[in-house]
Amino acid sequence: MFKKENNNVCRGVGDCVDKMDLEFEAIYQKVLVYIHKQEDLLGIKHAYNFVKVAFDGILRKDGNPFLKHLLDTADIVVDLQAGPNTIIAALLHDSIEDIEDITYDTVCNKFSKDISDSFIISIVPSSYISKNAMVQCIRLFSS
């Protein structure tokens, strides 16, 4: 039997799991049905862990953890059987805009050129990304 404690689900003494981890695991199980390349699977896990840390303790206006919104977005694209880069971008989509310590350079260095250039640029207001940062990132991944 599950009992709720804060943002955890507990199955017994010392066996608590974060609810967001459970939501991610459910999404990840759907991913495993159609994505099999280990590198892609690790990238998706990396993106989840990245935003889990970045958005830790941050709530939306409705009182839900911000991470839930990112997981809901990822769940939608997984239901559409989107590719790994789209899933990663769905998880990252508010990071530059809403987390002060995450910049375009951060995303560019931690994730692929495809994610940084095509998706992040298209959804993040240009005021969050300097032209110089975009040029540097493109050069970094083009070499």
Side-chain angles (χ1 to χ4, degrees), residues 36-100:
H36 306 288
K37 191 174 174 186
Q38 193 66 24
E39 180 181 341
D40 294 337
L41 296 170
L42 289 173
I44 293 166
K45 283 185 175 183
H46 176 61
Y48 170 68
N49 289 321
F50 180 80
V51 295
K52 180 181 177 183
V53 170
F55 286 91
D56 184 45
I58 299 175
L59 301 177
R60 290 176 55 95
K61 290 179 184 177
D62 64 6
N64 283 315
F66 203 100
L67 186 56
K68 178 156 178 35
H69 163 67
L70 303 175
L71 289 171
D72 289 346
T73 304
D75 196 30
I76 291 167
V77 300
V78 168
D79 285 344
L80 296 171
Q81 294 198 344
N85 285 352
T86 303
I87 297 166
I88 292 167
L91 288 166
L92 297 174
H93 81 271
D94 280 331
S95 59
I96 292 174
E97 211 173 338
D98 294 333
I99 303 297
E100 188 175 318

Side-chain angles (χ1 to χ4, degrees), residues 95-107:
S95 59
I96 292 174
E97 211 173 338
D98 294 333
I99 303 297
E100 188 175 318
D101 294 340
I102 298 176
T103 65
Y104 178 81
D105 289 333
T106 305
V107 173

